[in-house]
């Protein structure tokens, strides 16, 4: 049962009051009783002695009637019961009996007070009187008259008076006790009210603190221990609040950092359950619902490498790279994950980084380097082999020499073209290709480009038809646009074969000018269409090389179009051939 401070205080003061009241009451009663009895005994001794003296000197006390009469008078004057007993124990007179009754009274010779009085000169005895039916005090003293009468004079009185006094005292004590009780209730109530006010405030404050709320101001009402405690709690609350504020700031800072990170960060508990996941983690792994707090991570990500990583990270930092199975409608992701143990909780922090693009670029770069080396190797080996042959004697014969020098020249030209294309490409990709877009008339530029490829067209017996409205204006860098047109025309002439037919057309579509270069060559199959713009992608490598192609032309063209805000594509030409098109803004 919870009785509270007020109840405890009241109970304590009640017990104290009862204990003190009972002990002091009993003591008071006992000492009062013995004091009263001593007083009564003293009085009785005096009365008995007076009686003895009176009997000794009374001249006419020679018969029972006279002695009894004397006893009656003495009894009246002392207020006690007076009994005169002869030496042989016969009762000679009694203040409360008439002479007839005195004759009938039994012999008092064996009464203990009488025996004591005879033996020691005084007998004081307290005992129950069967005659009167109450507790009595008897005092007896001996007497001896000159005429030879000897005996004992006894004075006695009932102790009921003592009982009455003690009873009154007891009543008094009970009343005092009741008053004390009421006072105790009031006092303990008052004291506990003062105490509990501070205590309640203390309880409220500690409750606020434990709930993490800002604690209400705690009043320090007294300078006692409770006041001291309130002061300590107040300081504690202030310290805690300052600490919590600091932690809150720390947490906010931590959260901001975590949320602004591009890396996915996850914290797991000792059982591998998610305790924290940042926004990047949700974005990488398929939404916040997948990373619900308390969910085992490995239920969400079923990657064996991740299981191993988390196991390893329980003791020391570790890292791994793995393929993340594709979410619905997405492609596989390549993930680099690092994990470190959280020493205090036995959990693990996992940081994940999507390296899909990085790895793709690495592959592109690797392939590019391999392609470049491959492209360079053939002409360089031709030059070296032929130079060696020439040096080892072929130079002597001019006809033979020519046979070896011509391939060397072709290889050198190819190398030159390759290096020039590579330089263009790297300058464009590095952003060093300075473009100055201006408003241009399209027709003259197409004309100039066509003139640039006229030699190749003549060699190939190809007719280049230009169908461009003289009014069309577009916004582009003139050199870049010419390079684009020359490249597309060159390809069209090259791949359409002898006697081919090439056409350049243009039209305005909204805010764009669409330019088309079509041929009636072999065309490009659907599966190659998107890829012909990739670096070194060729449908027929041998044929392309034979025709002096580097495999970089279309990729340069695409780059030049894209950086000028345009688009490029290829579609089949009717009835045969291909149609390369690009768009640029209206000038
Ligand atoms: P190349 O230097 O080999 O011509 P390009 O980048 O200019 O390199 O072209 C890439 C490939 O696209 C060519 O090798 C060729 O197979 C194909 N191609 C380009 N233009 C045409 C076209 N007009 N007709 C058919 N195929 C073409």
């Amino acid at each position: 049962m919870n009785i509270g401070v007020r109840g405890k205080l009241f109970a304590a003061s009640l017990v104290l009051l009862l204990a003190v009241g009972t002990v002091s009451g009993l003591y008071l009663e006992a000492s009062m009783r013995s004091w009263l009895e001593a007083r009564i005994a003293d009085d009785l001794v005096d009365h008995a002695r007076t009686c003895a003296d009176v009997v000794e000197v009374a001249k006419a006390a020679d018969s029972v009637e006279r002695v009894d009469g004397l006893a009656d008078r003495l009894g009246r004057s002392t207020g006690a019961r007076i009994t005169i007993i002869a030496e042989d124990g016969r009762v000679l007179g009694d203040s409360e009996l008439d002479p007839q009754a005195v004759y009938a009274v039994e012999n008092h010779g064996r009464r203990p007070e009488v025996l004591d009085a005879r033996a020691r000169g005084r007998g004081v005895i307290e005992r129950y009187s069967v005659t009167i039916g109450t507790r009595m005090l008897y005092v007896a003293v001996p007497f001896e008259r000159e005429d030879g009468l000897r005996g004992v004079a006894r004075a006695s009185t009932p102790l009921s008076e003592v009982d009455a006094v003690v009873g009154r005292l007891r009543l008094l004590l009970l009343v005092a006790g009741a008053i004390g009780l009421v006072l105790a209730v009031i006092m303990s109530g008052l004291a506990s009210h003062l105490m509990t006010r501070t205590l309640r405030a203390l309880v409220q404050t500690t409750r606020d603190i434990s709930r993490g709320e800002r604690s209400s101001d705690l009043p320090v009402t007294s300078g006692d221990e409770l006041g001291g405690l309130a002061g300590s709690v107040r300081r504690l609350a202030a310290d805690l609040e300052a600490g919590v504020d600091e932690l809150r700031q720390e947490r906010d800072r931590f959260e901001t950092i975590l949320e602004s990170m591009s890396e996915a960060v996850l914290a797991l508990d000792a059982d591998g359950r998610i305790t924290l996941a940042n926004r990047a983690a949700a974005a990488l792994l398929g939404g916040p619902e997948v990373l619900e707090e308390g969910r085992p991570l490995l239920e969400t990500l079923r990657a064996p490498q991740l299981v191993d990583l988390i196991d390893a990270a329980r003791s020391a930092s570790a890292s791994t790279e793995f393929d993340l199975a594709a979410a619905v409608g997405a492609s596989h992701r390549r993930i680099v994950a690092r994990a470190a143990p959280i020493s205090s909780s036995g959990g693990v922090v996992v940081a994940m980084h999507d390296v899909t693009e990085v790895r793709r670029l690495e592959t592109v770069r690797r392939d590019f380097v391999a392609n470049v080396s491959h492209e360079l190797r053939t002409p360089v080996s031709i030059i070296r082999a032929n130079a060696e042959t020439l040096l080892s004697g072929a130079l002597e014969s001019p006809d033979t020499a020519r046979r070896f020098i011509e391939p060397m020249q072709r290889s050198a030209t190819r190398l030159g073209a390759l290096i020039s294309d590579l330089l263009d490409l790297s300058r464009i990709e590095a952003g060093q290709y300075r473009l100055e877009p201006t408003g241009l008339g399209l027709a003259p530029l197409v004309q100039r480009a066509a003139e640039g490829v006229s030699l190749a067209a003549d060699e190939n017996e190809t007719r280049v038809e230009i169908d461009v409205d003289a009014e069309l204006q577009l916004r582009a860098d003139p050199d870049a646009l010419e390079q684009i047109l020359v490249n597309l025309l060159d390809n069209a002439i090259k791949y359409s074969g002898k006697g081919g037919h090439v056409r350049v057309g243009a039209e305005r579509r909204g805010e764009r000018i669409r330019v088309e270069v079509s041929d009636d060559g072999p065309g490009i199959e659907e599966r190659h269409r998107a890829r012909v713009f990739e670096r070194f992608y060729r449908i027929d490598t041998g044929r392309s090389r034979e025709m002096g192609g580097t495999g970089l032309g279309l990729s340069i063209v695409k780059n030049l179009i894209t950086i000028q805000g345009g688009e490029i594509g290829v579609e089949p030409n009717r009835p045969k051939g291909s149609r390369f098109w690009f768009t640029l803004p209206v000038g």
Side-chain angles (χ1 to χ4, degrees), residues 68 75 77 80 86 93 105 128 149 202 217 235 249 299 319 321 338 345 358 406 425 427 434 581-582 584 586-587:
D68 187 52
S77 63
V105 171
Y128 191 79
L149 179 70
L202 269 168
D217 214 10
R235 275 192 300 280
Q249 281 173 20
E299 207 175 78
S319 63
E321 186 169 331
R338 279 188 306 280
S345 68
V358 175
E406 269 170 7
L425 202 61
R427 270 166 51 216
R434 290 249 164 263
W581 60 265
F582 63 87
L584 283 171
V586 168

Side-chain angles (χ1 to χ4, degrees), residues 491-492 494-495 519 523-524 532 537-540 544 549-554 578 580:
N491 276 353
K494 266 193 320 199
Y495 296 109
D519 63 64
I524 298 171
V532 290
Y537 190 83
R538 287 180 280 209
I539 298 166
D540 181 343
S544 159
T550 58
L552 293 172
L554 284 180
S578 23
F580 281 85

Side-chain angles (χ1 to χ4, degrees), residues 524-540:
I524 298 171
E525 277 180 57
E526 163 89 51
R527 64 197 163 103
H528 296 300
R529 259 174 235 153
R531 302 202 62 192
V532 290
F533 298 100
E534 288 175 16
R535 294 179 293 193
F536 294 114
Y537 190 83
R538 287 180 280 209
I539 298 166
D540 181 343

Side-chain angles (χ1 to χ4, degrees), residues 58-377:
K59 294 272 187 281
D62 47 1
S63 68
V64 166
E65 282 75 11
R66 285 177 187 265
V67 176
D68 187 52
L70 193 67
D72 289 350
R73 281 170 58 194
L74 284 167
R76 273 197 299 278
S77 63
T78 57
R81 178 185 174 189
I82 303 295
T83 314
I84 313 288
I85 304 155
E87 192 170 25
D88 55 4
R90 262 183 320 112
V91 174
L92 301 175
D94 192 299
S95 60
E96 284 176 19
L97 299 174
D98 53 32
Q100 276 69 39
V102 170
Y103 285 119
V105 171
E106 64 175 307
N107 190 295
H108 273 38
R110 305 301 313 161
R111 292 280 196 279
E113 67 274 9
V114 175
L115 293 172
D116 277 2
R118 280 202 208 113
R120 290 192 281 276
R122 190 164 95 169
V124 181
I125 294 293
E126 181 200 321
R127 64 184 158 76
Y128 191 79
S129 159
V130 190
T131 328
I132 298 175
T134 178
R135 243 165 21 92
M136 300 281 290
L137 187 64
Y138 297 93
V139 173
V141 290
F143 64 85
E144 187 174 1
R145 253 183 12 193
E146 281 174 2
D147 61 359
L149 179 70
R150 287 201 299 187
V152 167
R154 189 184 76 170
S156 64
T157 190
L159 288 176
S160 51
E161 202 181 319
V162 175
D163 289 339
V165 171
V166 169
R168 273 203 300 282
L169 182 78
R170 206 176 281 158
L171 191 71
L172 208 72
L173 281 174
L174 276 176
V175 171
I179 293 171
L181 198 70
V182 171
L183 281 177
V185 170
I186 294 170
M187 294 299 285
S188 64
L190 213 68
S192 65
H193 174 72
L194 287 175
M195 243 170 79
T196 48
R197 206 175 56 181
T198 315
L199 276 176
R200 270 208 200 100
L202 269 168
V203 169
Q204 188 56 44
T205 306
T206 46
R207 213 172 267 161
D208 287 350
I209 294 169
S210 69
R211 277 203 210 109
E213 290 168 9
R214 199 161 279 275
S215 60
S216 43
D217 214 10
L218 189 63
V220 179
T221 46
S222 57
D224 59 8
E225 291 88 342
L226 216 53
L229 178 63
S232 303
V233 170
R234 193 160 62 171
R235 275 192 300 280
L236 186 74
D239 288 353
L240 260 172
E241 258 166 36
V244 166
D245 271 352
E246 216 166 277
L247 276 175
R248 204 174 285 140
Q249 281 173 20
E250 191 65 34
R251 187 198 59 195
D252 289 351
R253 200 162 44 219
F254 172 69
E255 258 176 21
T256 313
I257 293 172
L258 206 63
E259 288 307 319
S260 56
M261 275 172 80
S262 60
E263 270 201 331
V265 179
L266 289 161
L268 310 178
D269 65 12
D271 301 324
R273 290 175 192 283
I274 299 167
T275 54
L276 181 147
N278 69 349
R279 208 173 297 151
L284 180 68
L285 306 175
E289 58 287 344
V290 189
L291 299 175
E292 248 168 49
E293 219 179 293
R295 203 167 158 180
L297 176 67
L298 297 173
E299 207 175 78
T300 310
L301 294 180
R302 290 173 206 276
Q305 295 96 325
L306 199 61
V307 179
D308 295 345
L309 175 75
I310 291 170
D311 280 346
R314 295 205 189 282
S315 46
S317 300
S319 63
T320 189
E321 186 169 331
F322 64 95
D323 276 323
L324 186 63
V328 189
S331 52
H332 271 252
R333 318 291 310 155
R334 187 76 183 158
I335 305 291
V336 167
R338 279 188 306 280
I342 309 171
S343 52
S344 56
S345 68
V348 169
V349 171
V350 187
M352 283 188 260
H353 197 54
D354 185 350
V355 291
T356 317
E357 188 58 17
V358 175
R359 295 291 179 263
R360 192 187 69 76
L361 289 174
E362 277 172 8
T363 311
V364 168
R365 191 183 52 83
R366 231 187 348 260
D367 290 353
F368 181 70
V369 171
N371 278 324
V372 170
S373 325
H374 183 73
E375 291 297 325
L376 292 174
R377 198 176 296 133

